[in-house]
């Protein structure tokens, strides 16, 4: 009997040369590391993946199944555990960027992450209340009874230690439709994302909230601003990791902090900064069958919580001159429920991640977001310089191969465009021109 997925940990997420393998070889290697069965591996192929008949039970008016590349990012370590990261994404450089950044942070001890208890917020809109303040106090006084009623709805979640945690009542004396109360049910969804669980609970509570408040409950729905369910991650990049030809590690650290600073002062840049973070988080959410629109809504509304849209991560220098990154954002992810088990590839992707709980998963997601952000900042702040240096280097190699006059530039350009800046290649290119 193979070990449960969540008990499996890859011997290492460092898989040198992984990128050089074929997709089948890569799948076999990951399968071996995580103890995937032949059926699991088959689920990663179009024939074994989501079938039209199954898709037809998931949404309406199905005409087919839509494919996306599924890649595995390597090198990630979170809280001392190596993690292989499945990512479904159409954009190039996302998987490579995460792998590259994770390797730099790995040298600095890997990512550290934690997450709050998985508490979601369910909202009830109460209209036609004659005295908002008095109704609010009556609802708060009925807290224990309301929590008990909410807990009667989902014995599975309550049995797992989750369920209703608290009631909040917010009064809005003026709105486009007059005074209203918004009642919050705080609900621990355990390993579920929790939307269905919370929606069911607030629907069940609504009649009692109407009775106590004397008002009329209209909307009953969870809030995607899941700010009771925050995930955080931080990590150190030793400055030496940021040294490239022509730039010291100290300068590399400074360049990245400078690039981050634009996002601090300018929301136009913060939007793109956060988009880079979500490149990684969304790709993992999609691969694992999680609701990425919910995670997106939570991230961006949290980024705007001060009234001004701001970056979700921060980059600074520590006392030793190394680069330190940190991130905090809502993370409503599940390892059960939704499409996580119904979608064959999502099930396998969760197995590859080997997460033990939604909370651990949330911490990994935060680390993925921070690593993706680092990859983007590094590329933006440093690669321009590297490209310039490569051009310079290519000219030197062209001259070493014997090029003179105009040919120096022409050979160098060929080497840069081919990405092969070697003497033997320069000689071969030069021979072509000499003919
Ligand atoms: P769900 O209802 O499919 O699964 C949750 C249920 O699984 C729980 O109620 C519980 O009975 C059971 N369960 C078994 N083991 C559990 C464990 N260890 N921890 C917790 N529960 C366990 O899913 P959900 O997470 O309640 O809802 C997610 C779905 O709701 C997603 O598909 C999402 O797209 C959708 N949704 C989202 C929104 C929104 O974000 N605004 C609104 C409506 C629906």
């Amino acid at each position: 009997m193979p070990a449960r997925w969540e008990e499996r940990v890859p011997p290492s997420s460092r898989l040198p040369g992984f990128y050089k393998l074929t997709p089948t070889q890569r799948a076999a290697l990951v399968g071996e590391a995580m103890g995937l069965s032949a059926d699991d591996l088959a689920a990663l192929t179009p024939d074994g993946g989501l079938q039209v008949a199954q898709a037809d039970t998931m949404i309406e008016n199905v005409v087919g199944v839509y494919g996306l590349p599924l890649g595995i990012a390597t090198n990630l370590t979170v809280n001392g555990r190596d993690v292989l990261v499945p990512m479904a994404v159409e954009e190039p450089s996302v998987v490579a960027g995460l792998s590259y950044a994770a390797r730099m942070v790995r040298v600095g001890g890997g990512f550290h992450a934690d997450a709050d208890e998985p508490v979601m917020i369910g909202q009830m809109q109460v209209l036609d209340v004659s005295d908002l303040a008095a109704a609010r106090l009556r609802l708060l006084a009925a807290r224990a009874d309301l929590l008990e009623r909410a807990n009667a709805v989902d014995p599975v979640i309550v049995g797992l230690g989750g369920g209703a945690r608290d009631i909040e009542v917010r009064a809005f004396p003026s709105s486009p439709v007059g005074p209203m109360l918004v009642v919050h049910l705080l609900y621990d969804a355990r390993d579920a994302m929790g939307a269905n669980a919370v929606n069911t609970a607030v629907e069940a509570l609504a009649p009692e909230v109407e009775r106590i408040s004397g008002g009329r409950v209209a909307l009953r729905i969870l809030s995607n601003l899941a700010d009771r369910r925050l995930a955080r991650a931080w990590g150190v990049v030793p400055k030496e990791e940021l040294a490239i030809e022509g730039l010291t590690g100290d300068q590399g650290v400074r360049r990245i902090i400078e690039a981050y600073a634009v996002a601090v002062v300018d929301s136009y840049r913060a939007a793109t900064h956060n988009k880079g973070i979500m490149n990684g988080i969304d790709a993992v959410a999609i691969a694992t069958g999680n609701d990425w629109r919910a995670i997106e809504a939570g991230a961006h509304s949290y980024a705007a919580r001060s009234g001004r849209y701001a970056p979700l991560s921060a980059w600074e220098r520590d006392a030793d001159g190394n680069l330190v990154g940190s991130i905090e954002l809502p993370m409503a992810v599940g390892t059960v429920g939704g499409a996580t088990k119904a979608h064959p590839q999502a099930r396998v992707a969760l197995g590859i991640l080997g997460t033990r709980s939604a909370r651990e998963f949330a911490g990994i997601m935060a680390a993925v977001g921070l690593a993706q952000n680092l990859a983007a900042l590094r590329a933006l702040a440093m690669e321009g310089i590297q490209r310039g240096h490569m051009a310079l280097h290519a000219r030197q190699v062209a001259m070493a191969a014997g090029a003179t006059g105009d040919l120096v530039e022409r050979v160098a350009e060929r080497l840069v465009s081919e990405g092969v800046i070697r003497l033997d290649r320069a000689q071969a290119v030069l021979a072509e021109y000499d003919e």
Side-chain angles (χ1 to χ4, degrees), residues 108-423:
F111 287 97
H112 309 270
D114 70 41
D116 296 337
E117 296 282 348
V119 173
M120 298 298 285
I121 300 169
Q123 299 196 294
M124 287 166 278
Q125 174 199 29
V126 194
L127 295 165
D128 306 337
V129 178
S130 52
D131 181 344
L132 288 184
R136 177 174 180 275
L137 291 178
R138 285 199 303 277
L139 284 163
L140 289 174
R143 175 182 178 275
D145 178 54
L146 289 170
L147 295 186
E148 202 179 311
R149 283 170 191 267
N151 275 337
V153 177
D154 196 327
V156 176
I157 284 195
V158 173
L160 290 165
R165 290 285 183 262
D166 210 349
I167 298 285
E168 292 175 343
V169 186
R170 296 151 69 236
F172 295 94
S174 72
S175 84
V177 292
M180 72 170 84
L181 292 176
V182 176
V183 180
H184 281 183
L185 170 69
L186 305 193
Y187 190 93
D188 183 326
R190 293 286 90 191
D191 294 320
M193 179 269 186
N196 287 328
V198 169
N199 291 345
T200 312
V202 287
E203 276 176 19
L205 276 193
E208 188 61 9
V209 167
E210 286 190 334
R211 196 189 63 74
I212 297 168
S213 65
R216 171 173 63 88
V217 173
L219 255 55
R220 293 150 293 171
I221 180 81
L222 103 158
S223 168
N224 287 114
L225 177 49
D227 62 1
R228 306 305 168 95
R229 195 176 185 176
L230 298 176
R232 302 165 202 85
W234 64 274
V236 177
V237 185
K239 59 183 173 189
E240 297 75 28
E241 292 298 306
L242 293 166
I244 57 169
E245 209 184 319
L247 210 63
T248 65
D250 276 328
Q251 288 170 320
V253 170
R254 187 183 328 139
R255 296 251 172 187
I256 288 181
I257 294 173
E258 283 169 0
Y260 154 67
V262 195
V264 174
V265 298
D266 184 358
S267 298
Y268 282 92
R269 172 58 205 159
T272 325
H273 179 101
N274 290 342
K275 190 273 182 184
I277 290 171
M278 302 314 288
N279 271 345
I281 291 174
D282 284 347
V284 182
I286 294 169
T288 57
N290 271 275
D291 185 339
W292 75 94
R293 288 87 53 208
I295 301 169
E296 281 276 338
H300 297 295
S301 51
Y302 191 67
R305 68 194 180 284
S306 72
R308 201 169 66 82
Y309 189 87
L312 290 162
S313 65
W315 293 95
E316 52 209 320
R317 191 192 295 269
D318 71 9
D320 301 320
N322 298 319
L323 181 68
V324 184
S326 55
I327 189 169
E328 179 182 77
L329 76 171
M331 195 48 69
V333 282
T335 56
V336 301
T340 56
K341 296 290 191 299
H343 190 296
Q345 286 159 332
R347 191 180 57 78
V348 176
L350 273 169
I352 292 170
L353 266 177
T355 47
R356 282 162 271 227
S357 66
R359 240 177 124 178
E360 187 194 27
F361 185 18
I364 292 172
M365 283 294 228
V368 164
L370 187 59
Q372 205 73 58
N373 184 216
L374 171 62
L377 289 176
R378 187 193 164 281
L380 285 173
M382 293 173 62
E383 251 167 31
I385 306 165
Q386 203 175 21
R387 272 208 202 107
H389 278 275
M390 289 321 250
L392 205 67
H393 180 50
R395 279 203 288 275
Q396 285 161 352
V397 172
M399 283 191 280
T404 52
D406 283 357
L407 276 180
V408 174
E409 202 54 52
R410 284 163 67 185
V411 172
E413 269 172 20
R414 276 278 298 277
L415 297 183
V416 171
S417 70
E418 290 174 8
V420 183
I421 303 172
R422 277 200 327 256
L423 187 62

